Structures are given as structure tokens and as C-alpha cells.
Amino acid sequence: MKLAAEVRNAVTPRAALLVVGVLALQLLFIASYVGALHDPKPKEVPFGVVAPASVASQAAARLADLPGDPLDPRVLADREEARRQIMDRRIDGALVIDPGGTTDTLLVASGGGTVLASALHAITTELEAAQRRTVRTVDVAPASPQDFDGLSAFYLVVGWCVGGYLLASILAISAGSRPANPQRAVIRLVVLALSALLGGLGGAIIVGPVLGALPGSVAALWGLGTLVVFAVGAVTLALQAVFGIVGIGLAVLLIVIAGNPSAGGAFPGPMLPDFWRAIGPALPPGAGTWAARSIAYFKGNALSGAMQVLAIWAVVGTVVTLVMSAVRKRAGRDDGAGHGVDDDADGAGHGDGPAGARPA
């Protein structure tokens, strides 16, 4: 009986629920990463076909009928159009058929993902061999020699995302998960913004001038990093404002468990299962990885969609944080007991100020 009483005192119902939540996150982490990455296959990859009019439609149909639908071919006017669409990130590769010879040209962009470029090479090589033809691969946007497998952009964005939710989590752990009033919420957001500026700059300098892992504008990467860190941090603050300390776990679920494996880092989007391919571009890691690769290898093309996604997360996180802090302040005034509003998730009386003090 004494042991049972000790267990009840040591493991409160709230602690037990948190343990169950951690276990759920652990299993979801395994399911998400293994589910997304255990069997990568190209699926409906946007792919161009350049050929004389007499054979272009037949070549495109042959590619469209490949088992497993790895390619989504479309006929293009000429080689320059194919190159332009690859650089605009509208397609991931193109086959230029030479009617006067037996060697065709495959255009790829390993800067968008070396694994996908290799998969396109393997598909077209096998197809051409069946036609007694050969293929020559030309990389129109090659990944840097210091960017192994084109992963540097992904790891850079993951680092920024980790910084964003850790910054917000530290603010919650050190000063209460829920800001007691809008003024304190603004202070947290300002601290987050300043940290995002420093983190964005630091990451851009490390992968650029220091390591030479990514080409492209340091200033552009700095701006991207600032937005990624702030967006992830603002969302984490918002989740904490709504759910208390549990919001940190929800941020991990959103950014790490759902966002990272769907970001197109290890395997670009066209090689992921449908669920992860669908959610990836809408989450900060996926949007950030796409934008970083566009800056590094595609002359900054196709940035607007990813930047809009990050901006929406930043705005929504900011607005929810401010609104919830205003609601919390009003609830404290309506309380009428003179004790103020407890900042902490479990009502322990920590708050942003001295314990038991009524927020200003």
C-alpha cells in the first residue's frame, strides 16, 4: 500500500498523460519516417519530351505507359524550352530525341535532388536500350561537389526549424507556456524575430562561405532562414498559447514527425508516397527545402509559392499568439479574485512574473 501511494505521488495523472503523449510521438515518428522513406519510387514525375512532330506523341505515350507510372510526360517544342522549364522547376527532366542518330539526351537537375536525377537516368537508359538506343545525360543544374546527394539545403532548413521550435519552447519552459497578456506575447515574438535574424544569417554563412556546401546568394538564404525560424517559432508559440506545454509536443508532431520526412530532402517529392507528397509543400520544412534549393541551384526561380507558405505560417502563428494572450488577459480581469492569470499549463502559478502576481 505504501508503494502504491508512492507511485501515485510520483506519477501524477498529468505526468502519466504526458508519458502516453511521448510514447505516441515516438511511434508516430517511426511510422512517419519509415512510411515515407522505406521504399522510394518515382511516381508521375513531371517530364518533358522533345522530338520531331511525327514521333513526339508516340514517344510521350510510351513514357506514360511505363509500369508504375513513374513519369508524367508532356511534349515540348525544343531543347531550350525543356531547359527553361527545368530551371523554372516546372519539370524535373526531359528526353531530347535525336531522329538522325541513335543517341538521345537526357536533361536532369541534380540540384533538385540527386536521387531523382539518378532514377530518371535509370528509367530512360532501360527504355532506350529496349529501342537499341543509348542516352547521354546532361545536368543543367548540377548539385555542388560539396553538397553530397543534394542534402545540404534540407539539413540547413532542418536546423532552422529546430532553432525555431526550441526558441519558442525555451521561452515557455523558462517563463510560462502561455503569455499572460499581449505585451508579453509581443516581447516573445520580438525575441523570436531577433533570434531568427541571427539564426538565419548564421546558417547562411555556415553553408556558404564557411563550408562551401551551397552556392547562391547569402543574403537570399539569410532572408529565407529568418522566415523559416520565425514561422516555426511563431507556430510553436501559438500552439503553446492554445494548449499550454502540450503545444511543444504538437509542434514536434507538425514540424519533425510530419514535416521532415515529407520535405523532399533525402528523396524529392515525386519519389514519396502520396500522403507525404501531398503535405510536404504545405509545411515549413518542405517549403523551406524547396526555396533553399531554388536559391542555390535554380537562380531563385519558383520561390513565390514556398515563401507564401512560410509567410502564412508566420502570420497565423503571430495572430493566434496575440489573440490568445488578449483572451487570457481578459479572463484574468473577469476572474475578480485578484490572483491574475496563471501562465503555466498546469496552473502551478509560475507565470511570466513573480508567482501569484497579477499581470499588468
Side-chain angles (χ1 to χ4, degrees):
M1 293 298 294
K2 292 179 67 175
L3 177 60
E6 286 294 334
V7 170
R8 285 195 298 271
N9 288 332
V11 183
T12 64
R14 180 170 180 268
L17 287 175
L18 290 174
V19 169
V20 171
V22 170
L23 177 60
L25 288 177
Q26 175 186 355
L27 298 179
L28 286 171
F29 184 99
I30 296 170
S32 184
Y33 276 73
V34 176
L37 308 177
H38 77 287
D39 188 23
K41 295 178 181 177
K43 179 75 172 179
E44 297 182 349
V45 179
F47 191 78
V49 178
V50 178
S54 58
V55 299
S57 59
Q58 296 177 0
R62 189 165 65 249
L63 294 173
D65 290 338
L66 290 173
D69 299 324
L71 303 178
D72 178 18
R74 68 284 313 269
V75 176
L76 302 179
D78 52 37
R79 179 173 178 149
E80 286 308 310
E81 174 65 16
R83 180 185 292 268
R84 183 164 51 251
Q85 289 204 20
I86 291 174
M87 291 304 298
D88 288 342
R89 309 199 73 180
R90 296 168 61 188
I91 60 176
D92 292 303
L95 182 63
V96 182
I97 298 175
D98 179 9
T102 60
T103 300
D104 299 328
T105 301
L106 172 67
L107 304 180
V108 297
S110 62
T114 59
V115 176
L116 179 57
S118 298
L120 293 178
H121 174 78
I123 291 170
T124 54
T125 297
E126 182 178 352
L127 181 66
E128 293 283 273
Q131 303 293 320
R132 296 185 178 180
R133 300 178 68 85
T134 58
V135 63
R136 179 175 67 96
T137 300
V138 176
D139 198 340
V140 301
S144 167
Q146 286 75 43
D147 182 12
F148 178 74
D149 269 358
L151 290 172
S152 296
F154 171 62
Y155 290 136
L156 172 64
V157 172
V158 167
W160 280 332
C161 289
V162 169
Y165 69 73
L166 283 183
L167 282 167
S169 300
I170 287 170
L171 288 172
I173 293 170
S174 63
S177 57
R178 293 169 171 147
N181 55 54
Q183 292 82 2
R184 296 182 186 182
V186 169
I187 291 171
R188 292 188 182 188
L189 290 166
V190 170
V191 171
L192 175 63
L194 294 175
S195 299
L197 281 167
L198 294 175
L201 177 60
I205 291 175
I206 289 171
V207 301
V210 175
L211 299 178
L214 284 182
S217 167
V218 172
L221 288 174
W222 180 13
L224 171 63
T226 300
L227 183 55
V228 169
V229 175
F230 184 82
V232 172
V235 168
T236 305
L237 287 176
L239 290 171
Q240 292 166 1
V242 176
F243 299 103
I245 204 70
V246 176
I248 296 176
L250 295 176
V252 171
L253 174 63
L254 180 69
I255 304 301
V256 178
I257 295 175
N260 285 356
S262 65
F267 303 111
M271 300 191 73
L272 296 174
D274 291 341
F275 172 75
W276 287 269
R277 185 193 310 188
I279 67 172
L283 298 175
T289 299
W290 177 276
R293 284 175 171 163
S294 290
I295 292 169
Y297 297 118
F298 296 92
K299 301 180 180 179
N301 296 329
L303 268 178
S304 60
M307 299 301 281
Q308 288 172 17
V309 168
L310 292 170
I312 289 171
W313 282 108
V315 170
V316 170
T318 300
V319 170
V320 170
T321 300
L322 294 173
V323 168
M324 290 303 298
S325 65
V327 169
R328 194 163 177 79
K329 180 179 180 180
R330 181 171 181 176
R333 287 176 174 170
D334 293 343
D335 181 42
H339 297 129
V341 178
D342 181 6
D343 234 355
D344 207 7
D346 60 356
H350 295 280
D352 278 87
R358 184 177 182 85

